[in-house]
Structure formats: structure tokens, C-alpha cells
Amino acid sequence: GNSVTQMEGPVTLSEEAFLTINCTYTATGYPSLFWYVQYPGEGLQLLLKATKADDKGSNKGFEATYRKETTSFHLEKGSVQVSDSAVYFCALSDGIFGNEKLTFGTGTRLTIIP
Amino acid sequence: EAQVTQNPRYLITVTGKKLTVTCSQNMNHEYMSWYRQDPGLGLRQIYYSMNVEVTDKGDVPEGYKVSRKEKRNFPLILESPSPNQTSLYFCASSLGRLSNQPQHFGDGTRLSIL
């Protein structure tokens, strides 16, 4: 079956540091890949997505590139802010018609210190 | 305002007492889904629906029922709740196929089954 593996948290960084959160996946077919963010007390929000190999998703200074050869979709940001503190989830949809499941990783809690 | 609304937000109840968590969206979305979020396990899909009267099992459907009689509503029913169903539950909706469309999440329902 499908699976998503994220780096273990929590991750604590200083403001303006470089961020990488690793995500690798196993899937049948040709999955679409997503990063969702969950701020305290809220539901998840889509951060970015990529639907095919070599696509780069980007939003709010975050980026992730769909690497089919390494089955990875690592999240990066060049300079983090305190407001980026949240839990980040990598997810995939395998794109098989009629099978609309979304598989999430376990989440990575990020804390940014001023 | 476009939103997914869940009720109740918090509920403490006892084993065996039937309960329903309602979910409603005002975006005319076809796709709706229920997830549970548990520490160390991330989000796991319980059930999903691709349209009215069309529902299918996710990864952890045991002990839950759903129905989709109207496009906007997708209630989650626990016929005989047990303590292992204590969790944080999220409803989500999207315009179309998950591979192309982002999901919009509600703010969550925290259930405690004693």
C-alpha cells in the first residue's frame, strides 16, 4: 500500500535559519504530492503541491520538488520566521481513478525561536 | 465565507452511547472525507465520499459509519463508541479529485470516550 515517511520531530530552529523537512514516499501509480500545515488549534491548510515528476511547488517562501528517482518531496525554506511554527504534514494521493484516498505522514512539529 | 463546519468541537461521552459528529461545507464541493489524528500516527482516513450517495472506506473505517444524503453534509456516526476512538477528528472537502484539488479542513472535533 501507499505510505509516507517524514523526518521525526520536533524540530527547533532559530529565526532566519534554513529549514529542511524530509519526506519520502511509496506509492502505486503516479501520485500527486502535498505539504499541509497545521497551526495550533486549527485544521490543516494546503501549503503546496506537485502533481508530476520534477514539478516544484512553492508558497509563502516554502518550496518542494517532486523527485521520482529518489521518491522524495522534501520541504525547504531559506529563512524561517516565528510565524512558521506549526506542524507540517507530507501527503500523497495516488491518482488512481475512483480511489480518492489521501495518505499522510506522521507530521513534523516545527518551533522557531526568536 | 467558504468553510467546513464541524459540530461539536468538543465532546466527552461514555462507552456505548451513540453519537454523531456533523460536517457541513458551503463550497458545493463533491468530495468529502473524515480523518482521525492521533499522536505519532498523523492523520488517517476513516471514510470518504466522492458524491451524493457514494461513500467508500478509508484506512481505518472500523467502528464508524457515514452517510451522504446531501452534497453539503457528511456526518460521522459512532454507533457504539469505545475508548480507542478517543481522538481528534477532522472533516475535509474538495472541489474534485484529490490529485488536482486541495482539501479544505474543518477546525476539528475532539472526542473523549470514557
Side-chain angles (χ1 to χ4, degrees), chain A residues 1-4 23-34 49-55 65-73 90-97 99-104, chain B residues 97-101:
Chain A
N2 298 337
S3 67
V4 175
C23 171
T24 57
Y25 67 90
T26 303
T28 55
Y30 300 94
S32 295
L33 302 173
F34 308 86
K49 71 173 185 179
T51 57
K52 61 182 188 297
D54 300 324
D55 267 2
T65 301
Y66 188 145
R67 301 284 188 202
K68 190 167 167 51
E69 64 275 13
T70 54
T71 62
S72 65
F73 192 55
C90 186
L92 73 83
S93 171
D94 64 16
I96 296 175
F97 186 78
N99 182 25
E100 295 293 327
K101 289 186 178 182
L102 195 63
T103 301
F104 283 87
Chain B
R97 299 195 63 204
L98 291 185
S99 53
N100 297 321
Q101 300 292 337

Coordinates of all heavy atoms in Angstrom, one line a residue, chain A residues 1-4 23-34 49-55 65-73 90-97 99-104, chain B residues 97-101:
Chain A
G1 N 0.8 -1.2 0.0 CA 0.0 0.0 0.0 C 0.9 1.2 0.0 O 2.1 1.2 0.1
N2 N 0.2 2.4 -0.1 CA 0.9 3.7 -0.1 C 1.4 4.0 1.3 O 0.8 3.7 2.3 CB 0.0 4.8 -0.5 CG -0.5 4.6 -2.0 OD1 0.1 3.9 -2.7 ND2 -1.6 5.1 -2.3
S3 N 2.5 4.7 1.4 CA 3.0 5.2 2.7 C 3.8 6.5 2.5 O 4.4 6.7 1.4 CB 3.8 4.1 3.4 OG 5.0 3.9 2.7
V4 N 3.9 7.3 3.5 CA 4.6 8.5 3.6 C 5.5 8.5 4.8 O 5.0 8.3 5.9 CB 3.7 9.7 3.5 CG1 4.6 11.0 3.7 CG2 2.9 9.8 2.2
C23 N 10.8 14.2 3.4 CA 9.7 13.4 3.1 C 10.0 12.4 2.0 O 10.4 12.8 0.9 CB 8.5 14.2 2.7 SG 7.0 13.3 2.2
T24 N 9.8 11.1 2.2 CA 9.8 10.1 1.2 C 8.5 9.3 1.1 O 7.8 9.3 2.1 CB 11.0 9.1 1.4 OG1 10.9 8.5 2.7 CG2 12.4 9.9 1.3
Y25 N 8.3 8.7 0.0 CA 7.0 8.0 -0.2 C 7.1 6.7 -0.9 O 8.1 6.4 -1.6 CB 6.0 9.0 -1.0 CG 6.5 9.2 -2.4 CD1 6.0 8.3 -3.4 CD2 7.3 10.2 -2.7 CE1 6.4 8.5 -4.7 CE2 7.7 10.4 -4.1 CZ 7.2 9.6 -5.0 OH 7.6 9.8 -6.3
T26 N 6.1 5.9 -0.8 CA 5.9 4.7 -1.5 C 4.5 4.7 -2.1 O 3.6 4.9 -1.3 CB 6.1 3.4 -0.6 OG1 7.4 3.5 0.0 CG2 6.0 2.1 -1.4
A27 N 4.4 4.5 -3.4 CA 3.0 4.6 -3.9 C 3.0 3.8 -5.2 O 4.0 3.6 -5.9 CB 2.7 6.0 -4.2
T28 N 1.8 3.3 -5.5 CA 1.5 2.8 -6.9 C 1.1 3.9 -7.8 O 0.7 5.0 -7.3 CB 0.3 1.8 -6.8 OG1 -0.8 2.4 -6.2 CG2 0.7 0.6 -5.9
G29 N 1.1 3.7 -9.0 CA 0.7 4.7 -10.0 C 1.6 5.9 -10.0 O 2.8 5.8 -9.7
Y30 N 1.0 7.1 -10.3 CA 1.7 8.3 -10.4 C 1.1 9.3 -9.4 O 0.2 10.1 -9.8 CB 1.7 8.8 -11.8 CG 2.3 7.9 -12.8 CD1 1.5 6.9 -13.5 CD2 3.7 7.8 -13.0 CE1 2.0 6.0 -14.3 CE2 4.2 6.9 -13.9 CZ 3.4 6.0 -14.6 OH 3.9 5.1 -15.4
P31 N 1.6 9.3 -8.2 CA 0.9 10.1 -7.2 C 1.1 11.6 -7.3 O 2.1 12.1 -7.9 CB 1.6 9.6 -5.9 CG 3.0 9.2 -6.3 CD 2.8 8.6 -7.7
S32 N 0.2 12.3 -6.8 CA 0.4 13.8 -6.5 C 0.9 13.9 -5.1 O 0.5 13.1 -4.2 CB -0.9 14.5 -6.7 OG -1.3 14.5 -8.0
L33 N 1.7 14.9 -4.8 CA 2.3 15.1 -3.5 C 2.0 16.4 -3.0 O 1.9 17.4 -3.7 CB 3.8 14.9 -3.6 CG 4.3 13.6 -4.2 CD1 5.8 13.6 -4.4 CD2 4.0 12.5 -3.3
F34 N 1.8 16.5 -1.6 CA 1.3 17.7 -1.0 C 2.1 17.9 0.3 O 2.6 17.0 1.0 CB -0.2 17.6 -0.6 CG -1.1 17.1 -1.7 CD1 -1.2 15.8 -2.0 CD2 -1.7 18.1 -2.4 CE1 -2.1 15.4 -3.1 CE2 -2.6 17.7 -3.5 CZ -2.8 16.4 -3.8
K49 N 1.8 22.0 -3.5 CA 1.6 20.6 -4.1 C 2.4 20.5 -5.4 O 2.8 21.5 -6.0 CB 0.1 20.4 -4.4 CG -0.4 21.2 -5.6 CD -1.8 20.8 -5.9 CE -2.3 21.5 -7.2 NZ -3.7 21.1 -7.5
A50 N 2.6 19.3 -5.8 CA 3.2 19.0 -7.1 C 2.5 17.7 -7.7 O 2.3 16.7 -6.9 CB 4.7 18.7 -7.0
T51 N 2.2 17.7 -8.9 CA 1.4 16.7 -9.5 C 2.2 15.7 -10.4 O 1.7 14.7 -10.8 CB 0.2 17.2 -10.3 OG1 0.7 18.1 -11.3 CG2 -0.7 18.0 -9.3
K52 N 3.4 16.1 -10.8 CA 4.2 15.2 -11.6 C 5.7 15.4 -11.3 O 6.1 16.4 -10.8 CB 3.9 15.4 -13.1 CG 4.2 16.7 -13.6 CD 3.8 16.8 -15.1 CE 4.2 18.1 -15.8 NZ 3.6 19.3 -15.2
A53 N 6.4 14.4 -11.8 CA 7.9 14.4 -11.6 C 8.5 15.7 -12.0 O 8.2 16.2 -13.1 CB 8.5 13.2 -12.2
D54 N 9.5 16.2 -11.2 CA 10.3 17.4 -11.4 C 9.5 18.7 -11.2 O 10.1 19.7 -11.4 CB 10.9 17.3 -12.8 CG 11.8 16.2 -13.0 OD1 12.5 15.8 -12.0 OD2 11.9 15.6 -14.1
D55 N 8.2 18.6 -10.9 CA 7.4 19.8 -10.6 C 8.0 20.3 -9.3 O 8.3 19.6 -8.4 CB 6.0 19.4 -10.4 CG 5.1 19.6 -11.7 OD1 5.7 19.9 -12.7 OD2 3.9 19.4 -11.6
T65 N 10.3 19.9 -4.3 CA 10.5 19.4 -5.7 C 10.1 17.9 -5.7 O 10.7 17.2 -4.9 CB 11.9 19.6 -6.2 OG1 12.1 21.1 -6.2 CG2 12.0 19.1 -7.6
Y66 N 9.3 17.5 -6.6 CA 8.9 16.1 -6.8 C 10.0 15.3 -7.4 O 10.3 15.5 -8.6 CB 7.6 16.1 -7.6 CG 6.9 14.8 -7.8 CD1 5.5 14.9 -7.9 CD2 7.5 13.6 -8.0 CE1 4.7 13.7 -8.1 CE2 6.8 12.5 -8.2 CZ 5.4 12.5 -8.3 OH 4.6 11.4 -8.5
R67 N 10.7 14.5 -6.7 CA 11.8 13.7 -7.2 C 11.4 12.2 -7.3 O 11.4 11.5 -6.3 CB 13.0 13.8 -6.3 CG 13.5 15.2 -6.0 CD 14.3 15.8 -7.2 NE 14.9 17.0 -6.9 CZ 15.3 17.9 -7.9 NH1 15.0 17.6 -9.1 NH2 15.8 19.0 -7.5
K68 N 11.1 11.8 -8.5 CA 10.6 10.5 -8.7 C 11.7 9.5 -8.5 O 11.6 8.4 -8.0 CB 10.0 10.3 -10.1 CG 9.3 9.0 -10.4 CD 8.5 9.2 -11.7 CE 8.0 7.8 -12.2 NZ 7.3 7.0 -11.2
E69 N 13.0 9.8 -8.9 CA 14.1 8.9 -8.8 C 14.4 8.5 -7.4 O 14.9 7.4 -7.1 CB 15.3 9.4 -9.6 CG 15.9 10.7 -9.0 CD 15.2 12.0 -9.5 OE1 14.1 11.9 -10.1 OE2 15.8 13.1 -9.3
T70 N 14.2 9.5 -6.5 CA 14.5 9.2 -5.1 C 13.2 9.1 -4.3 O 13.3 9.0 -3.0 CB 15.4 10.3 -4.5 OG1 14.7 11.6 -4.7 CG2 16.7 10.4 -5.1
T71 N 12.1 9.1 -4.9 CA 10.8 9.1 -4.3 C 10.7 10.0 -3.1 O 10.4 9.6 -1.9 CB 10.3 7.7 -3.9 OG1 11.3 7.1 -2.9 CG2 10.2 6.8 -5.1
S72 N 11.1 11.3 -3.3 CA 11.1 12.3 -2.2 C 10.4 13.6 -2.6 O 10.2 13.9 -3.8 CB 12.6 12.6 -1.9 OG 13.2 13.2 -3.0
F73 N 10.1 14.3 -1.5 CA 9.4 15.6 -1.7 C 9.7 16.4 -0.5 O 8.9 16.8 0.3 CB 7.9 15.3 -1.8 CG 7.1 16.5 -2.3 CD1 7.4 17.2 -3.5 CD2 6.0 17.0 -1.5 CE1 6.6 18.3 -3.9 CE2 5.2 18.0 -2.0 CZ 5.5 18.7 -3.1
C90 N 3.4 15.9 5.2 CA 3.6 15.4 3.8 C 2.5 14.4 3.5 O 2.1 13.6 4.4 CB 5.0 14.8 3.7 SG 5.4 14.4 2.0
A91 N 1.9 14.5 2.3 CA 0.8 13.6 2.0 C 0.9 13.3 0.5 O 1.5 14.0 -0.3 CB -0.5 14.3 2.3
L92 N 0.2 12.2 0.1 CA 0.1 11.8 -1.3 C -1.3 11.3 -1.6 O -2.0 10.7 -0.8 CB 1.2 10.8 -1.7 CG 1.1 9.3 -1.2 CD1 0.1 8.5 -2.1 CD2 2.4 8.7 -1.2
S93 N -1.6 11.5 -2.9 CA -2.8 10.9 -3.5 C -2.3 10.1 -4.7 O -1.6 10.7 -5.5 CB -3.8 12.0 -3.9 OG -4.8 11.5 -4.7
D94 N -2.7 8.8 -4.7 CA -2.0 8.0 -5.8 C -2.7 8.2 -7.2 O -2.2 7.7 -8.1 CB -2.0 6.6 -5.4 CG -3.4 5.9 -5.2 OD1 -4.4 6.5 -5.7 OD2 -3.5 4.9 -4.6
G95 N -3.7 9.0 -7.2 CA -4.3 9.4 -8.5 C -5.0 8.3 -9.3 O -5.3 8.5 -10.5
I96 N -5.2 7.2 -8.6 CA -5.9 6.1 -9.4 C -7.4 6.5 -9.4 O -8.0 6.7 -8.3 CB -5.7 4.8 -8.7 CG1 -4.2 4.4 -8.7 CG2 -6.6 3.7 -9.3 CD1 -3.9 3.1 -8.0
F97 N -8.0 6.5 -10.5 CA -9.4 7.0 -10.7 C -10.3 6.1 -9.9 O -10.2 4.9 -9.9 CB -9.8 7.0 -12.1 CG -11.1 7.6 -12.4 CD1 -11.3 8.9 -12.4 CD2 -12.3 6.7 -12.5 CE1 -12.6 9.5 -12.5 CE2 -13.5 7.3 -12.7 CZ -13.7 8.7 -12.7
N99 N -10.3 6.0 -6.7 CA -9.7 5.6 -5.4 C -9.1 6.9 -4.8 O -7.9 7.1 -4.8 CB -8.6 4.6 -5.6 CG -8.0 4.1 -4.3 OD1 -8.6 4.2 -3.2 ND2 -6.7 3.7 -4.3
E100 N -10.0 7.7 -4.2 CA -9.6 9.0 -3.8 C -9.1 9.0 -2.3 O -9.7 9.7 -1.5 CB -10.7 10.0 -4.0 CG -11.1 10.2 -5.4 CD -10.0 10.9 -6.2 OE1 -9.3 11.7 -5.6 OE2 -9.8 10.6 -7.4
K101 N -8.1 8.3 -2.1 CA -7.5 8.3 -0.7 C -6.3 9.2 -0.7 O -5.6 9.4 -1.6 CB -7.0 6.9 -0.4 CG -8.1 5.9 -0.2 CD -7.5 4.6 0.3 CE -8.6 3.5 0.6 NZ -8.0 2.3 1.1
L102 N -6.2 9.8 0.5 CA -5.1 10.7 0.8 C -4.3 10.1 2.0 O -4.9 9.8 3.0 CB -5.5 12.1 1.1 CG -4.5 13.2 1.1 CD1 -4.0 13.4 -0.3 CD2 -5.2 14.5 1.6
T103 N -3.0 9.8 1.7 CA -2.2 9.2 2.8 C -1.3 10.2 3.3 O -0.5 10.9 2.6 CB -1.4 8.0 2.2 OG1 -2.3 7.1 1.6 CG2 -0.5 7.4 3.3
F104 N -1.3 10.4 4.7 CA -0.4 11.4 5.3 C 0.8 10.8 6.0 O 0.7 9.6 6.5 CB -1.3 12.1 6.4 CG -2.2 13.2 5.9 CD1 -3.5 12.8 5.5 CD2 -1.9 14.5 5.8 CE1 -4.4 13.7 5.0 CE2 -2.7 15.4 5.2 CZ -4.0 15.0 4.9
Chain B
R97 N -11.1 15.8 -7.7 CA -10.2 14.8 -7.5 C -9.0 15.3 -6.6 O -8.4 16.3 -6.9 CB -9.7 14.2 -8.8 CG -10.8 13.5 -9.6 CD -10.2 12.6 -10.6 NE -9.5 11.5 -10.0 CZ -8.5 10.8 -10.6 NH1 -8.1 11.1 -11.8 NH2 -7.9 9.9 -9.9
L98 N -8.6 14.5 -5.7 CA -7.5 14.9 -4.8 C -6.2 15.1 -5.5 O -5.4 15.9 -5.0 CB -7.3 13.8 -3.7 CG -8.5 13.6 -2.7 CD1 -8.1 12.6 -1.6 CD2 -8.9 15.0 -2.1
S99 N -6.0 14.5 -6.6 CA -4.7 14.7 -7.3 C -4.6 16.1 -7.9 O -3.6 16.5 -8.2 CB -4.6 13.6 -8.4 OG -5.7 13.6 -9.2
N100 N -5.8 16.7 -8.0 CA -5.8 18.1 -8.6 C -6.3 19.2 -7.7 O -5.9 20.3 -7.9 CB -6.7 18.1 -9.8 CG -6.2 17.1 -10.9 OD1 -5.0 17.1 -11.1 ND2 -7.1 16.5 -11.6
Q101 N -7.0 18.8 -6.7 CA -7.7 19.9 -5.9 C -7.3 19.8 -4.4 O -7.2 18.7 -3.9 CB -9.2 19.7 -6.0 CG -9.8 19.8 -7.4 CD -9.7 21.2 -7.9 OE1 -9.6 22.2 -7.2 NE2 -9.7 21.3 -9.2

